[in-house]
Amino acid sequence: MSLKIDYNDSWNLIKKVFPILDESSSKQQEASENEFYKTLSVIENLNLAEIIKTMILTRVEREIRESYVPKFWSYFVKVENYEEGFFKFSKAINFIHDCFMQYGSLFLKLKILNKKLLPESNIYGNEDPVDALRLLFRATLLSQLPIEHKDIIENFYIIALSEENNRDIADFFNLSQQSENNYNLIFSETNRKLNKLDLLEPLVGQVLTSLIYTTIENHVQKTCKDSFDSSYLTTLETWLETVIIPWLQTIYCSEYASVNEEAVKRFQRKLLNFLYETYAKVRINQLFNIIIEFPESLPALEDLRLCLQKTDLRSVLIEKLQKSMETRLLHPGVSTPDILTAYVASIRSMRVLDPSGLLLETVTQPVHQYLRSRDDTVRCVVSSLTEEDPNDLAEELVRGNAVHVDENALSDEDAENWTKWMPDPVEADPNKSSNIRRSSDIISMLVSVYGSKELFVNEYRTLLADRLLSQFSCDTEKEIRYLELLKLRFGDSQLHYCEVMLKDVADSKRIKTHIAQIPEYSENFNMSAMILSAQFWPALKDEKLEVHPKIKEQMALYTKGFEALKGSRTLAWKNHLGVVDVEIDLPDRKLNLSVTPVHVTIIMHFEDKKEWALDELSRVMQVPPTILRRKMGFWQSYGLIEEVKPDLFCLIEEIENSVSKAASEIVEDYESESAMASAQDQRKEELQTFWSYITGMLMNLDSLPLERIHQMLKMFAFQGPTIECSLQELRHFLDAKVREHELVYSGGLYKLPKSDILT
Amino acid sequence: MKVTIKNWVGVATWKWVANDDNCGICRMPFDGCCPDCKLPGDDCPLVWGQCSHCFHMHCIVKWLQSQQVNQQCPMCRQEWKFNNK
């Protein structure tokens, strides 16, 4: 080997082998393999490998940076439609791929050079220079990323995806097979190239992911819009598996990137989860409607339950549902029965969603609170419980007895089903037994709205009394049935009073038949009485009425009959209550009516005497004039009585046409009033018992603020079985007293009026 | 005009004709029933003593049974005799 080397020749040789090093870019013929190996030995001899390599790389880098990449990005400009974008993108990819391929032979040589002469070194951390080239491309591309690049990529994939989605339809009609094939071809080719360049994930990944997410979202929205009566979860799952995932696979799993298989699998799991989440969110937004349509919307609920298990949306659900309940249910515009219906539906549907009952507890909390603030809740519950036409609550009552679980005892059922036992969710209040939550049935939940059975039972008692005293039928079979059902739920002792009430009705019937046999009694008109055990009925409204002497006579006879039948007992008549069948004979017509005792008494008095002054009649009947006037309105509407002068009423037997016209205009005042004293009145009476305490207090201490009075009452008067009285209630009571001039309120202090002390 | 009443259904409450409202033994109203009973009236009647005091029958019988020596009215301490009027 000669030590003398011709440097010029060597450089020329190197330039020939690596044309990129030649500045004067004149086209030369391809170097032969022989020349290549010769060059290698020259490089080795001169120890130039490192330098040559760096030079080559720098040149390549510059070339990519300065000409290829800007050209590549120049494809990414705003386009008019998706189709244009589709083709632009594929052209861009083609271009960059060609550029890449152009370096093929150069990098093959570089690889050999690297391997032979620089076994230890690597290029940018890659042993294979081709990998390094990929890296170079990637880095340079991303370093010059224009803003709008995403649009074009998105266009490309939207077109491809919509092709994919429509394939079934296209197949079916055999339509546009040509163009579709065309698209598909370009699509798969582009993806292959992207994969080869290792550009798929860096360039496309983000866009693709968000595109797929939107697609899933849109699909879910479209699929389950406003229809709750069938399950969509499996349909959606299959859609994901048959449409989206294969499509993804065609993108990712070409021959160059078999490693991506695993990534796609992982992505699939992620997508499935996203699908559940999206679906659950859609359903949660519709949840209120789902609840309202409850038995029909069961499939939707089942879907949601499955989704909830897989996602973490419980808190979202609670928040959303509470909000929609507040805006759609809990406002004054909704009637109480409607709220109750919705409440029952939500109890039932929440039970489907979450057997542990925690969800139910949280969601229905505001409903509870709201129902508590409505006066007619209990009444509505009770009346719907005992309504004749079937409704949810009545069904629930008939269905069976409440299971009252002992809080500490583990029931047998629990012990048997221990394998199925599920712990409470983490949010659960550990102080409360899960048994109670799990077993609570609808009626006991409704009752617990008020916190006590007593109130509920009392309301039922009032309702029952009302019904018994308004119908006056002795047919109590249905009532007895309901009572028995309620007894199963609330226990015998609570409903004992109601039992006595029903027995009174039955007894009254028996007594009636007994008394009807008394001879002197049967001479007169037919009379019967509801004989009540006053202690067991709710307080009856106390109104005075002096009935017509004829009636009084008959009543006395009836009382006598009763006294004969039942030793040492007598009757006290509630004259104003009852119902009378009456026939009124008029010269030109006959009236058959069913009216109240007050009305009958009025007309009977007019039978005796044709003209009555209001005062006079009021004195005779012992009814206040205002009420009497109202009651007379009833007869006025029949045209029987006319107010000829102010406060002077006159009987009219024959109607002239003109009168009848006037009469028909009088509004009929025949409201059905409850025979019971209202709950408010009763409460007031209870508070009245404290009045003596309060006067005593104020007598001694002159004047006191509200809080002090309440405190002192708490200390002395509220002991024992008396009912607790809230500050609010006391204030109302005292304010009422102020209005009645029994108290003076000034400067935040209550005082007895001066005159009161003086007298 | 003639008014004919065909049927009258009235409402009345029954009560014991007694000189007091509450039973002196159980302090419950006479018109109610003694603590052991559920139904008032026939099922839980009153009885009068010759001393004119009256009680729920069940109450006074229980009282008399608890008395070892003298059968006295718990109100006036006179000897208890049923007044069969």
Side-chain angles (χ1 to χ4, degrees):
Chain A
M1 260 283 174
S2 91
L3 283 170
K4 205 164 171 253
I5 297 164
D6 186 342
Y7 290 109
N8 222 5
D9 274 359
S10 306
W11 177 232
N12 279 335
L13 195 64
I14 293 170
K15 275 208 284 197
K16 194 175 179 198
V17 171
F18 300 107
I20 200 165
L21 294 178
D22 196 351
E23 298 280 341
S24 65
S25 71
S26 56
K27 208 68 188 154
Q28 280 176 337
Q29 66 187 82
E30 195 74 7
S32 68
E33 207 167 319
N34 230 352
E35 284 171 313
F36 174 63
Y37 284 108
K38 206 168 147 195
T39 317
L40 278 188
S41 62
V42 170
I43 292 172
E44 191 178 12
N45 282 339
L46 293 174
N47 207 8
L48 278 173
E50 192 67 50
I51 297 168
I52 295 288
K53 192 182 86 178
T54 320
M55 275 176 79
I56 291 171
L57 283 176
T58 322
R59 289 286 163 90
V60 170
E61 270 172 44
R62 201 172 66 204
E63 218 169 59
I64 293 172
R65 192 169 58 235
E66 282 171 9
S67 64
Y68 297 153
V69 167
K71 185 142 185 241
F72 174 77
W73 285 126
S74 73
Y75 285 100
F76 290 75
V77 287
K78 274 226 153 38
V79 287
E80 294 297 309
N81 56 25
Y82 288 163
E83 216 136 309
E84 208 181 330
F86 181 83
F87 289 116
K88 278 228 158 114
F89 183 69
S90 87
K91 265 186 212 151
I93 298 300
N94 274 336
F95 168 73
I96 204 79
H97 183 252
D98 288 347
C99 299
F100 179 77
M101 292 312 283
Q102 197 185 305
Y103 290 113
S105 62
L106 175 69
F107 271 76
L108 206 66
K109 289 172 192 162
L110 199 62
K111 192 176 174 181
I112 298 165
L113 173 101
N114 210 30
K115 213 160 155 189
K116 286 219 163 161
L117 307 180
L118 303 158
E120 296 296 301
S121 86
N122 51 20
I123 305 165
Y124 303 135
N126 292 298
E127 271 176 39
D128 188 346
V130 182
D131 286 340
L133 182 64
R134 286 204 188 103
L135 185 70
L136 250 176
F137 265 99
R138 206 157 63 216
T140 324
L141 276 179
L142 294 181
S143 73
Q144 297 182 18
L145 213 57
I147 301 167
E148 309 93 17
H149 78 285
K150 276 189 181 162
D151 296 341
I152 300 261
I153 303 175
E154 215 173 68
N155 286 347
F156 180 76
Y157 283 99
I158 283 176
I159 291 269
L161 189 61
S162 63
E163 283 298 312
E164 179 76 22
N165 260 333
N166 293 335
R167 185 181 291 169
D168 296 339
I169 307 163
D171 274 353
F172 189 74
F173 292 110
N174 232 344
L175 280 176
S176 65
Q177 201 72 35
Q178 196 55 47
S179 76
E180 188 214 330
N181 276 342
N182 201 15
Y183 276 121
N184 271 340
L185 213 66
I186 295 173
F187 177 65
S188 56
E189 187 60 25
T190 312
N191 281 322
R192 199 179 58 81
K193 286 173 178 166
L194 275 172
N195 253 324
K196 194 169 159 193
L197 293 175
D198 222 352
L199 275 175
L200 190 63
E201 192 56 36
L203 203 59
V204 176
Q206 209 187 346
V207 178
L208 197 59
T209 314
S210 66
L211 176 69
I212 284 180
Y213 279 177
T214 2
T215 313
I216 289 177
E217 236 165 85
N218 289 339
H219 186 77
V220 170
Q221 295 268 15
K222 210 171 66 196
T223 315
C224 50
K225 198 177 167 198
D226 293 330
S227 96
F228 313 132
D229 48 3
S230 52
S231 168
Y232 288 110
L233 209 52
T234 39
T235 330
L236 288 172
E237 273 170 27
T238 11
W239 172 78
L240 190 74
E241 268 160 36
T242 55
V243 179
I244 298 294
I245 298 297
W247 188 71
L248 271 179
Q249 266 161 350
T250 57
I251 296 173
Y252 278 100
C253 303
S254 57
E255 67 239 72
Y256 292 97
S258 53
V259 270
N260 279 342
E261 194 104 22
E262 186 56 35
V264 172
K265 281 245 172 66
R266 226 176 312 142
F267 197 47
Q268 179 179 355
R269 279 200 291 274
K270 217 164 126 186
L271 284 182
L272 199 61
N273 198 51
F274 182 75
L275 180 79
Y276 289 137
E277 208 171 288
T278 318
Y279 184 67
K281 272 183 189 153
V282 171
R283 284 302 187 216
I284 284 171
N285 281 330
Q286 299 164 333
L287 195 53
F288 188 78
N289 291 334
I290 294 179
I291 285 173
I292 297 298
E293 289 178 26
F294 168 61
E296 283 78 36
S297 60
L298 194 62
L301 278 173
E302 286 288 346
D303 278 359
L304 186 56
R305 186 174 61 90
L306 288 176
C307 288
L308 275 186
Q309 283 169 359
K310 287 170 179 154
T311 53
D312 185 29
L313 290 169
R314 262 180 111 86
S315 54
V316 180
L317 183 141
I318 290 170
E319 201 181 312
K320 284 256 172 175
L321 186 58
Q322 278 185 347
K323 204 157 195 178
S324 56
M325 286 225 174
E326 255 161 55
T327 51
R328 297 185 56 183
L329 197 60
L330 307 181
H331 57 80
V334 188
S335 70
T336 310
D338 285 348
I339 297 183
L340 282 175
T341 316
Y343 180 60
V344 171
S346 64
I347 292 177
R348 288 186 169 172
S349 41
M350 286 302 122
R351 249 195 236 147
V352 174
L353 277 187
D354 173 31
S356 78
L358 185 76
L359 210 57
L360 176 64
E361 204 179 65
T362 337
V363 168
T364 53
Q365 199 62 38
V367 188
H368 265 202
Q369 258 164 14
Y370 187 77
L371 280 177
R372 213 171 290 159
S373 72
R374 283 215 172 183
D375 294 338
D376 54 346
T377 306
V378 176
R379 186 154 281 240
C380 280
V381 172
V382 172
S383 58
S384 62
L385 270 181
T386 51
E387 237 166 51
E388 266 184 75
D389 42 306
N391 61 14
D392 290 345
L393 281 178
E395 271 170 42
E396 195 72 16
L397 179 68
V398 175
R399 189 179 302 163
N401 41 343
V403 204
H404 293 292
V405 193
D406 188 1
E407 223 175 291
N408 298 315
L410 193 70
S411 67
D412 291 344
E413 196 190 11
D414 274 4
E416 275 166 28
N417 289 340
W418 61 272
T419 44
K420 288 183 193 152
W421 181 83
M422 285 283 284
D424 279 342
V426 271
E427 311 99 273
D429 182 0
N431 290 328
K432 286 185 189 163
S433 158
S434 66
N435 265 347
I436 290 179
R437 271 201 296 271
R438 279 163 210 255
S439 66
S440 56
D441 72 325
I442 293 178
I443 291 180
S444 35
M445 286 202 72
L446 276 175
V447 173
S448 73
V449 164
Y450 274 85
S452 84
K453 281 184 195 172
E454 264 131 76
L455 213 99
F456 200 79
V457 169
N458 272 341
E459 194 62 38
Y460 173 69
R461 190 156 69 112
T462 318
L463 201 85
L464 181 67
D466 244 357
R467 227 172 4 212
L468 291 177
L469 288 188
S470 62
Q471 291 171 352
F472 293 104
S473 69
C474 294
D475 174 31
T476 51
E477 216 167 281
K478 203 182 80 215
E479 301 295 349
I480 289 172
R481 200 172 81 87
Y482 277 123
L483 185 62
E484 289 301 321
L485 286 171
L486 285 172
K487 270 206 277 185
L488 282 178
R489 218 164 262 280
F490 296 108
D492 282 356
S493 57
Q494 301 274 355
L495 291 158
H496 165 216
Y497 282 25
C498 300
E499 215 173 330
V500 174
M501 282 159 66
L502 287 176
K503 187 175 170 284
D504 280 346
V505 175
D507 284 350
S508 304
K509 195 174 165 189
R510 223 180 20 251
I511 292 166
K512 182 182 138 196
T513 47
H514 270 288
I515 292 177
Q517 289 159 5
I518 301 170
E520 70 225 89
Y521 167 79
S522 48
E523 283 168 15
N524 228 322
F525 61 87
N526 220 350
M527 184 175 231
S528 64
M530 246 351 167
I531 300 171
L532 319 179
S533 306
Q535 300 288 327
F536 296 83
W537 286 67
L540 298 171
K541 223 190 259 171
D542 213 13
E543 268 172 44
K544 260 202 173 154
L545 172 68
E546 189 66 29
V547 288
H548 194 269
K550 264 201 258 172
I551 309 293
K552 225 173 170 179
E553 208 175 292
Q554 186 73 348
M555 279 179 170
L557 275 174
Y558 200 89
T559 312
K560 227 160 119 194
F562 178 81
E563 279 167 2
L565 196 65
K566 308 266 177 185
S568 316
R569 270 166 280 176
T570 187
L571 289 181
W573 288 86
K574 301 275 175 197
N575 288 339
H576 59 289
L577 294 175
V579 62
V580 185
D581 294 331
V582 71
E583 189 183 272
I584 300 172
D585 270 319
L586 291 162
D588 56 343
R589 64 206 162 123
K590 215 175 222 186
L591 284 173
N592 265 307
L593 297 168
S594 201
V595 293
T596 66
V598 189
H599 292 127
V600 178
T601 312
I602 294 171
I603 204 70
M604 283 176 90
H605 281 301
F606 273 98
E607 189 188 12
D608 299 343
K609 189 181 147 191
K610 302 227 175 227
E611 226 178 58
W612 285 92
L614 189 65
D615 285 356
E616 198 186 348
L617 190 59
S618 147
R619 235 185 348 266
V620 172
M621 287 175 62
Q622 298 195 352
V623 175
T626 45
I627 295 174
L628 188 61
R629 179 186 282 279
R630 233 174 52 209
K631 300 285 181 196
M632 302 246 262
F634 175 77
W635 293 119
Q636 278 173 296
S637 72
Y638 276 96
L640 282 175
I641 294 177
E642 201 189 353
E643 191 168 2
V644 282
K645 271 187 253 164
D647 289 345
L648 186 69
F649 291 85
C650 197
L651 181 73
I652 297 173
E653 295 199 39
E654 269 173 278
I655 341 170
E656 298 138 41
N657 281 343
S658 61
V659 179
S660 81
K661 237 177 214 164
S664 62
E665 278 162 25
I666 295 167
V667 186
E668 196 175 313
D669 166 59
Y670 191 51
E671 77 275 44
S672 54
E673 286 170 47
S674 166
M676 302 309 127
S678 73
Q680 230 171 347
D681 293 347
Q682 286 181 46
R683 181 74 191 160
K684 213 166 154 192
E685 220 151 275
E686 278 166 16
L687 284 176
Q688 192 62 39
T689 53
F690 299 134
W691 180 237
S692 58
Y693 285 96
I694 296 169
T695 45
M697 229 182 270
L698 293 172
M699 211 93 86
N700 289 323
L701 299 165
D702 193 35
S703 61
L704 287 170
L706 179 71
E707 287 77 17
R708 266 302 283 294
I709 297 178
H710 189 248
Q711 244 166 20
M712 305 237 315
L713 281 178
K714 236 188 196 160
M715 236 186 303
F716 304 114
F718 290 162
Q719 285 161 354
T722 43
I723 304 115
E724 188 78 17
C725 154
S726 74
L727 205 63
Q728 199 64 33
E729 232 173 333
L730 186 66
R731 189 203 302 277
H732 279 302
F733 177 69
L734 291 180
D735 287 349
K737 288 288 177 198
V738 171
R739 274 195 296 280
E740 288 161 20
H741 303 292
E742 288 186 57
L743 265 185
V744 173
Y745 181 72
S746 68
L749 298 174
Y750 288 95
K751 232 191 281 190
L752 288 174
K754 282 270 151 44
S755 58
D756 214 37
I757 297 169
L758 289 175
T759 49
Chain B
M1 184 187 69
K2 192 174 179 311
V3 178
T4 324
I5 290 164
K6 292 201 296 200
N7 190 27
W8 182 296
V9 183
V11 175
T13 54
W14 64 266
K15 62 169 191 271
W16 289 100
V17 185
N19 46 11
D20 203 352
D21 286 338
N22 299 329
C23 168
I25 296 172
C26 68
R27 305 305 300 164
M28 298 299 267
F30 282 137
D31 301 339
C33 46
C34 77
D36 296 333
C37 280
K38 286 257 180 246
L39 304 172
D42 292 338
D43 292 353
C44 187
L46 300 195
V47 285
W48 279 260
Q50 277 175 1
C51 58
S52 88
H53 288 122
C54 73
F55 305 98
H56 285 125
M57 185 182 78
H58 300 141
C59 295
I60 189 69
V61 167
K62 221 199 268 175
W63 162 260
L64 293 175
Q65 275 168 359
S66 69
Q67 298 294 299
Q68 305 292 323
V69 208
N70 299 325
Q71 307 259 296
Q72 289 174 337
C73 166
M75 301 292 267
C76 59
R77 297 277 154 197
Q78 290 180 49
E79 195 189 349
W80 178 267
K81 280 204 182 101
F82 284 106
N83 184 2
N84 303 313
K85 60 173 175 181

